[in-house]
Amino acid sequence: MEIRELHGDEQAPMDLLLLADPSRKLVDGYIRRGQCFVAELNDEIAGVYVLLPTRPGTVEIVNIAVDESKQGQGIGRRLVNHAIQQARSHGYKTIEIGTGNSGIGQLALYQKCGFRITGVDRDFFIRHYTEEIFENGIQVVDMIRLAQDL
Ligand code: ACO
Ligand code: ACO
């Protein structure tokens, strides 16, 4: 499997990006302002992440997704670790990530990759999304914020 940056003239894998975030408007903004990386397996895109500089010295993984048929095989972990290496090699001091309160698997993965919870953005998903979203039988209302020093 190879992880590489998407060239400027290539289409971003929108179906995958929308798995991580149902808001087309937010996703469009992320790919316009951030750097998009893809994981390729047998010439097919199996995963994606977008890295976005947010404040001086800080970068955020704003979107990460693996094709549903290929989840649970370690691709997500490799993408998160790639993002951490990428941020470190570009001299960033902090990398951040956020996920919904219902994202049990995501919270497990991010903490296994070294992220610590820094706070809760209460009602984030109520303020920014018009439709109610459920995951693991739990309504997504709050954004759990995580970070790690590089
Ligand atoms: N309890 C404990 N550990 C768990 C649980 C759980 N319920 N669920 C997952 N994990 C662990 C796994 O055991 C594994 O750890 P390991 O490497 O020690 O075995 C790790 O979390 C998951 O590892 P991967 O197989 O590498 O993950 P995957 O390839 O499935 O990718 C991802 C994870 C990207 C979250 C994928 O499931 C996905 O695309 N989901 C839909 C989109 C999404 O929710 N994206 C994130 C939104 S937040 C954001 O974009 C910033
Ligand atoms: N992903 C999604 N849902 C999950 C997961 C998971 N990884 N793990 C549990 N759940 C859900 C189950 O699906 C179930 O939901 P459902 O009713 O919709 O199906 C619910 O959580 C668990 O329900 P129960 O079977 O009623 O829980 P149980 O009888 O196992 O009791 C408890 C839970 C008390 C935490 C038990 O596991 C335990 O004693 N653990 C060890 C001690 C402990 O950790 N206690 C809590 C410490 S914190 C404190 O004491 C305040």
Side-chain angles (χ1 to χ4, degrees), residues 19-20 63-66 71-77 98 105-106 108 110 112:
L19 271 185
N63 189 305
I64 180 163
V66 171
Q71 290 177 7
Q73 298 173 24
I75 298 174
R77 195 169 181 140
Q106 293 88 325
Y110 305 154
K112 283 178 173 182

Side-chain angles (χ1 to χ4, degrees), residues 54-66:
T54 51
R55 296 186 300 280
T58 302
V59 75
E60 179 170 345
I61 302 172
V62 285
N63 189 305
I64 180 163
V66 171

